[in-house]
């Protein structure tokens, strides 16, 4: 340990955080592992885990359409429910495939004098072959779906602490396994008691709330310096894939006769979740040092790049909450999530009430923005690692660049939504670009927790994700207050201006306070800065005395 600390200190004297990391390379003895490694297995299984998590989360939104007897539910307009019921109602309509955008066959329609667009041909037509067995009105449906978010917000910080204390592998596995069991019990709970179903959904939110902090905690130990963006974003991209799969598969299952139709959604995804948990617990380990099958080359490469954890340690809560880098990160995530929740909860309302979209007859089109977002996420992550590895930008400037682009470009798109008029094709294109550009933040704040505090990255994710869950409740309340009994384009333009302003403020604060270097309180126990061999960097410095000093430090 002593020699490790001396070596890290020696390297840090040679280059501060603003120096490109590639230029810090001194030791050519640590080779880059070739081919598939244990870190890739962990990332792939985490990717499959998040597919399961989001499939089970979205599954109820899709199944709700088939569960409810719509003929007995009193109709109500979208804007008549605000607050949490507005949030979950919009989530229901967007995610279930009940809402998917339809392009008009002709040119853009002209707005009515009341500030809304005329209904295109065929608007409002939908059929349902099977009557549902539950007589829940829209507010009851909203309460059922909204219960998830209460549990989800509460468990973030406890989940981060548990992952730091007991290991991310166990906590993430526990979160997915419990969600799977609850999914299997959902049909029974729904048929037993409405209150039991609501309690189950709160519990489901509680156990899913620990998944992101636990995974971030693991990547703080497993993700090498120049692979962290790509590995982390690849794992979290399972959420987009899971959403798209759930939209497609759940609708088919609900229309089938398998296990009574809608219950098969919960049985299928719940069973897959249990099977995934077995694979996760067998093939994944908390750290490279504890993995029995990892190659020595890969273990040395990972630990030589970021260090290793020897003792869990107690989180320095005072230093964490007083760190400007942490709050800059949390603000950036808040702004990004505000944009996400506006897309999920508010823009579908705008499309329905103002543009008069009927999104009931084309569920697959609703997957286009998610597909675009997934592609941009992966490109942004790869590009962020590339510019850092090649030394074009420091870690701090790389994060700030991608975060700024991921905020300002969507801000422009959300403003443009209010100016496309009644052109449905332009509206779909604008919303797709909106979600796509937002994916650029995956080269920004998404990985920044690992940059500044790899030892406590799970706790930092828990703090920022708790803060960033607030828009899920606040944005529908704000939109409801602005548009209640006043569904006009002018009022919605105010919503878009506010969203764009939050994007700008979030980007500005991250530019001021965002950091890229490891904070003194967040470093792993041993963190020498060593990078894989690169043809653009010489393995031997021009100073023989320095090379000899490096050799002595390594030998010790």
């Amino acid at each position: 340990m002593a020699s490790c600390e001396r070596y890290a200190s020696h390297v840090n004297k040679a280059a501060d955080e603003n120096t490109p990391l590639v230029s810090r390379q001194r030791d050519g003895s640590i080779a880059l592992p070739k081919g598939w490694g244990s870190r890739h297995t962990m990332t792939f299984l985490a990717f499959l885990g998040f597919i399961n998590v989001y499939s089970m989360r979205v599954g109820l939104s899709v199944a709700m359409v088939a569960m409810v007897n719509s003929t007995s539910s009193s109709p109500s307009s979208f804007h008549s429910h605000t607050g949490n019921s507005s949030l979950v109602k919009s989530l229901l309509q967007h995610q279930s495939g009940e809402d998917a955008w339809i392009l008009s066959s002709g040119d853009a329609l002209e707005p009515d004098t009341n500030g809304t667009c005329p209904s295109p041909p065929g608007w409002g037509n939908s059929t349902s072959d099977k009557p549902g067995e539950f007589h829940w009105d829209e507010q009851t449906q909203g309460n059922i779906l909204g219960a998830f978010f209460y549990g989800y917000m509460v468990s973030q910080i406890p989940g981060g602490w548990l992952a730091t204390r007991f290991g991310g592998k166990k906590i993430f596995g526990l979160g997915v396994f419990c969600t799977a069991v609850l999914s299997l019990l959902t049909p029974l709970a729904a048929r037993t008691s409405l209150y039991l179903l609501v309690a189950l959904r709160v519990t489901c939110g509680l156990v899913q709330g620990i998944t992101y902090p636990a995974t971030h905690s693991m990547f703080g130990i497993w993700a090498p310096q120049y692979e962290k963006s790509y590995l982390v974003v690849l794992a979290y991209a399972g959420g987009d894939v899971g959403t798209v799969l759930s939209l497609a598969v759940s609708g088919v299952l609900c229309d089938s006769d398998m296990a009574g139709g809608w219950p098969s959604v919960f049985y299928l995804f719940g069973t897959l979740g249990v099977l995934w948990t077995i694979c996760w617990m067998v093939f994944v380990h908390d750290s490279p040092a504890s993995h029995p099958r990892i190659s020595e080359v890969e273990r040395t490469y990972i630990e030589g790049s970021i260090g290793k954890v020897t003792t869990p340690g107690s989180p320095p809560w005072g230093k964490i909450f007083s760190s400007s880098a942490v709050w800059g990160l949390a603000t950036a995530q808040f702004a990004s999530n505000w944009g996400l929740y506006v897309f999920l909860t508010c823009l579908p309302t705008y499309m329905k009430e103002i543009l008069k979209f009927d999104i009931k007859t084309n569920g697959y089109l609703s997957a286009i923005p998610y597909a675009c977002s997934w592609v941009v996420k992966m490109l942004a992550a790869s590009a962020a690692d590339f510019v850092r590895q090649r030394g074009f930008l420091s870690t701090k400037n790389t994060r700030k660049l991608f975060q700024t682009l991921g905020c300002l470009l969507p801000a422009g798109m959300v403003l443009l939504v209010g100016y496309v008029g009644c052109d449905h094709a332009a509206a779909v294109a604008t919303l797709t670009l909106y979600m796509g550009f937002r994916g650029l933040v995956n080269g920004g704040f998404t990985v920044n927790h690992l940059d500044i505090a790899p030892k406590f990255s799970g706790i930092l994710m828990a703090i920022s994700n708790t803060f960033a869950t607030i828009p899920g409740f606040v944005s529908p309340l704000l939109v409801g207050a602005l548009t209640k009994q006043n569904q006009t384009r002018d009022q919605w333009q105010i919503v878009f201006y506010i969203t764009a302003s939050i994007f700008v403020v979030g980007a500005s604060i991250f530019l001021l306070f965002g950091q890229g270097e490891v904070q003194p309180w967040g470093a792993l126990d041993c963190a020498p800065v060593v990078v894989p061999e690169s043809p653009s960097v010489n393995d031997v410095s021009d100073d023989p005395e320095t090379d000899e000093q490096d050799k002595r430090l390594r030998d010790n």
Side-chain angles (χ1 to χ4, degrees), residues 56-78:
M56 290 184 285
R57 180 188 298 190
V58 177
L60 179 59
S61 299
V62 181
M64 186 75 76
V65 179
M67 294 169 67
V68 174
N69 189 327
S70 58
T71 59
S72 65
S73 300
S74 57
S76 62
S77 66
F78 221 69

Side-chain angles (χ1 to χ4, degrees), residues 11 373 432 520 554:
V11 175
S373 176
T432 300
R554 293 193 300 270

Side-chain angles (χ1 to χ4, degrees), residues 172-404:
F172 185 49
L174 178 67
V176 179
F177 177 76
C178 291
T179 303
V181 172
L182 293 171
S183 178
L184 292 170
L185 295 175
T186 297
L188 176 62
R191 288 165 171 162
T192 301
S193 167
L194 173 62
Y195 296 105
L196 181 60
L197 178 60
V198 170
L200 184 145
R201 291 298 294 173
V202 172
T203 307
C204 187
L206 283 170
V207 296
Q208 279 202 23
I210 66 178
T211 54
Y212 273 101
T215 310
H216 235 57
S217 179
M218 291 197 69
F219 278 116
I221 302 170
W222 273 96
Q225 187 72 281
Y226 296 118
E227 299 179 22
K228 64 177 67 174
S229 300
Y230 183 80
L231 293 179
V232 171
V233 173
L234 176 60
Y236 293 159
D240 292 320
V241 177
T243 298
V244 173
L245 287 177
S246 188
L247 287 170
V249 175
S250 297
V252 174
L253 291 174
C254 287
D255 287 337
S256 72
D257 295 325
M258 182 185 302
W262 65 263
S264 63
V265 174
F266 304 101
Y267 297 147
L268 173 64
F269 293 132
T271 301
L272 292 176
V274 172
L275 295 175
W276 173 91
T277 303
I278 297 173
C279 295
W280 176 261
M281 299 304 293
V282 170
F283 294 108
V284 173
H285 293 266
D286 282 313
S287 68
S290 65
H291 201 301
R293 294 177 297 275
I294 190 173
S295 68
E296 184 67 20
V297 173
E298 184 181 15
R299 185 190 64 79
T300 304
Y301 166 61
I302 295 173
E303 293 179 352
S305 175
I306 60 174
K308 62 181 179 180
V309 172
T310 57
T311 56
S314 299
W317 296 107
K319 294 179 179 179
I320 290 175
F321 283 107
S322 62
S323 171
S324 60
V326 172
W327 289 110
L329 165 61
T331 304
Q333 189 168 350
F334 178 93
S336 181
N337 274 28
W338 181 282
L340 174 64
Y341 281 112
V342 164
F343 179 84
L344 288 176
T345 67
C346 303
L347 287 182
T349 307
Y350 176 79
M351 304 297 280
K352 180 180 179 70
E353 299 289 352
I354 306 300
L355 297 183
K356 294 297 190 292
F357 268 129
D358 178 13
I359 48 181
K360 297 178 181 178
T361 58
N362 194 344
Y364 292 103
L365 194 57
S366 64
I368 292 178
Y370 287 102
C372 181
S373 176
W374 184 83
V375 171
V376 175
K377 283 180 180 180
M378 301 313 302
L379 292 176
S382 299
D385 284 340
F386 177 81
V387 298
R388 294 169 60 243
Q389 185 174 20
R390 292 302 180 93
F392 297 134
L393 289 173
S394 66
T395 299
K396 177 170 69 175
N397 291 333
T398 299
R399 301 301 179 217
K400 290 184 176 182
L401 172 64
F402 280 90
Q403 185 65 36
T404 300

Side-chain angles (χ1 to χ4, degrees), residues 435-455:
M435 280 294 287
F437 287 142
R438 186 189 162 276
L440 292 170
V441 300
N442 286 268
F445 85 82
T446 303
V447 197
N448 195 228
H449 315 75
L450 281 69
D451 297 325
I452 65 176
K455 187 172 184 178

